[in-house]
Amino acid sequence: MRLTRRRFLGGAAAAALGGAGVYELVDQLASAPKRHVAEPAGMPAEQHVFELGTVHSEGVEVVVPPLHSEVITATVKPGNIRDAQQELEDALRELDARYELSPKGLGVTVAWGVPYFDSYVSAQAKQHLPHDRRANKPALLPSRTFPSDPKETIIEHNDVAVLLRSDQREHIDRARALLFDDLHVFEMTSVRRGFAGGGFSGGKSLPQRMAVAAGVPGADLIPDGSELFLGFTSTQKAGLGPRLIANHETLGFVDLRSGYFHGGTHMHLSHISEDLEAWYLNFDFDERVLTAFRPGMTSVKQGAQTVPQGPDNVSSVELLQKQFKQTGRFGHSASIQPTSRLQRDMVGPDGTLYPKGTAIPQRADFNTLDNPFAWTADPKRDNFSQEASAGVHFVVFNPSSDDFERNRLAMDGVLPGGTKLSVPPRTRAQGFNSVLTTTHRQNFLVPPRRHRSFPLAEL
Amino acid sequence: MRATIVAAAAALALAVFVSGASAGAKASCPAAWRAGWQALADKVQAPVYCPTWMPNPLDARIGGQFEDIYSIAKDRSYLVSFLDHGDAGSGDVHVNFRGYPGRTKIPTCKTTILEGAKTIRGTTPCFSDAYAKVRGPNISATAYHTNQDADQWHILLAWRYRSSLYTVSEHVIVPYDSSTRVLANLRKLLNGLVLLRPQG
């Protein structure tokens, strides 16, 4: 049996742990990054928009993620939801007033699951929930599993998920206390914590130091300076969707119907375990590159972490098929790009030009040592353990459930137009999949800020 | 994938005890192991490194109960391997010693990956992804974490002496089920290595 996180830390480190557990070490191991972010003139209509600064890493512009992230999932407590709506909105406005909307302050995103819309506002939802034109399905779909998911993957049924982001752990702690302890509208089902970044100024990276401190197998194999446990930079600016692209309305994929959800988006939340030793002991650097990106990338400097993924480096279905025919495998980024990047220039409703190759998803994923969560109301169902485990809480904003599903299916070799790169699930040929295990999944809808509290309840 | 066991703590405690027994006086190749290692040096006509400590429960007696591979190639490169398969799923302890007399370049290994009906063949350095430096009394070694063939899923230390390359590696598997623990074992191994020169 492995040492537990608590036993491993011991001594002074353990004494330093409070409610945030091992994550308080983030503040001891990394200081808040210096950010060059323009102050928002006002609160944007979108809840998911969170302006982050950038730095240059290995010549590539990289977004500096917030140091701390946390997702709390919950069900709605029985009661009058119109009253609950007012109470929640008052609490959120208190947070808005207390903290600036930036990583120095706090970002709050409230997202609602299918069970909420079905149970509490089903009549209004039928009339107002957005509809995906491409899929001819609701923009918010019940979650599903994917070919490379193990059969144990749990599809969740939470009413709500609240994403909290900040460079200051204390701000997140206070927000959680206000929304889930002081208010009596939610019953928490899980708390998911983690961290990101902290490695751009050189030296040992935050993920490596955190993993070593927690005794995670393979922790010492994480390269110095790496942003994520798996060793590559994932927040390069060109790989993340620009400001409003993930809104329901921006690319025209979604029919907003009444317009109630204009400025809203879709959020997928999953927890993925990462087998660091399988990754670092089995795959040499060159294979890690072609696994993470695409076969044929032979010119990447040994040890590089930030590999350019700009619009000019984007893969297509044809290129994927050709490389798959030659090598019998496909890379993670390359497989997703035919669905995650624009295949032609597009213009948003506000006149913004989105050139071909622009990324659509806005990711907000973060490293975690949760196994699988920091806390759960149902430890047995969730296979909860106190032992630290390397993983990622994957949070991503797309215009709709279908748009997310297209990307996730592509990761398994199921491409648009029915093309299938046929390899057995979770084999080495399937990019990252052989070292990743998805434990939980759920889709949510993120209303615009004006309707973030119990959407549709007032109608 | 890694197996799981419950006896790790006990095995680790024993390993520390054995280590303690070898501390103290200037290290020399243990008498019970010396003959085999000296014979190897004589056979390859090059210096070889004899260990004075091995992770529990292994010993390093060539021809003994834990010897797994004893192989000398035409170019005089050698692989000496010691392995214990634990009882009832208690894991493996597997240590490899290699030497490449007369050359210092990291060798190249063939790779074969089966993907469904396809066989993908290629070549790759036998030891890659240097990630740490480990210094012993007379040796400065580089730790590699991605290794091939008999060293696959091992952490490996490689160093050069005169015009030859030497390595020692250990499998990351229960009871030594993390790269951190294995690297600690390898540090101890490196600290105790004794050079034996060919005689005659």
Side-chain angles (χ1 to χ4, degrees), chain A residues 61-140:
Chain A
E61 190 175 10
V62 170
V63 171
V64 181
L67 212 49
H68 299 277
S69 294
E70 182 166 314
V71 176
I72 302 107
T73 59
T75 53
V76 173
K77 280 185 178 173
N80 184 319
I81 61 161
R82 287 194 180 184
D83 292 345
Q85 183 184 47
Q86 192 57 54
E87 287 174 44
L88 176 59
E89 187 57 28
D90 287 347
L92 290 169
R93 283 175 190 236
E94 189 180 328
L95 291 174
D96 293 343
R98 191 185 297 174
Y99 303 111
E100 64 178 82
L101 180 62
S102 84
K104 289 179 186 169
L106 179 71
V108 184
T109 306
V110 188
W112 300 85
V114 171
Y116 165 75
F117 292 106
D118 284 351
S119 303
Y120 297 95
V121 288
S122 60
Q124 302 97 309
K126 281 189 184 106
Q127 198 179 338
H128 295 281
L129 275 183
H131 191 78
D132 189 309
R133 292 189 177 103
R134 285 191 305 179
N136 193 22
K137 291 175 183 171
L140 175 64

Side-chain angles (χ1 to χ4, degrees), chain A residues 410-424:
Chain A
M411 186 174 156
D412 286 348
V414 182
L415 302 176
T419 304
K420 200 170 175 186
L421 309 178
S422 192
V423 291

Side-chain angles (χ1 to χ4, degrees), chain A residues 31-77:
Chain A
S31 54
K34 288 177 184 158
R35 295 180 180 277
H36 305 282
V37 183
E39 291 294 323
M43 301 291 270
E46 294 78 10
Q47 285 196 78
H48 56 289
V49 169
F50 194 48
E51 302 291 350
L52 299 163
T54 63
V55 293
H56 276 79
S57 168
E58 300 173 49
V60 178
E61 190 175 10
V62 170
V63 171
V64 181
L67 212 49
H68 299 277
S69 294
E70 182 166 314
V71 176
I72 302 107
T73 59
T75 53
V76 173
K77 280 185 178 173

Side-chain angles (χ1 to χ4, degrees), chain A residues 1-2 220 280 284 288, chain B residues 2 5 124 129 145 153 179:
Chain A
M1 187 181 290
R2 292 193 187 288
D220 52 347
Y280 288 112
D284 63 20
R288 291 201 299 277
Chain B
R2 246 178 287 113
I5 77 154
T124 192
D129 287 336
H145 63 68
W153 212 288
S179 50

Side-chain angles (χ1 to χ4, degrees), chain A residues 319-340:
Chain A
L319 183 60
L320 263 176
Q321 284 180 295
K322 184 179 168 192
Q323 288 171 340
F324 181 68
K325 199 171 177 182
Q326 288 169 342
T327 65
R329 62 194 310 163
F330 54 89
H332 172 72
S333 293
S335 67
I336 294 174
Q337 284 168 350
T339 58
S340 70

Side-chain angles (χ1 to χ4, degrees), chain A residues 1-3 218 220-221 275 277-278 280-285 288 324-325 327-328 427-429, chain B residues 1-2 5-6 113 115 118 120 124 128-129 131 145-146 152-153 155 172 177-181:
Chain A
M1 187 181 290
R2 292 193 187 288
L3 295 174
D220 52 347
L221 308 179
D275 189 338
E277 287 184 336
Y280 288 112
L281 295 178
N282 257 342
F283 294 75
D284 63 20
F285 178 78
R288 291 201 299 277
F324 181 68
K325 199 171 177 182
T327 65
T427 66
R428 223 173 156 108
Chain B
M1 290 293 148
R2 246 178 287 113
I5 77 154
V6 291
I113 300 171
E115 292 295 359
K118 284 191 175 177
I120 304 163
T124 192
S128 68
D129 287 336
Y131 76 106
H145 63 68
T146 315
Q152 194 168 31
W153 212 288
I155 299 295
V172 180
D177 63 343
S178 81
S179 50
T180 314
R181 288 175 189 166

Side-chain angles (χ1 to χ4, degrees), chain B residues 99-114:
Chain B
Y100 300 88
R103 62 179 169 139
T104 56
K105 196 179 166 198
I106 290 176
T108 299
C109 284
K110 290 177 182 170
T111 58
T112 304
I113 300 171
L114 297 175

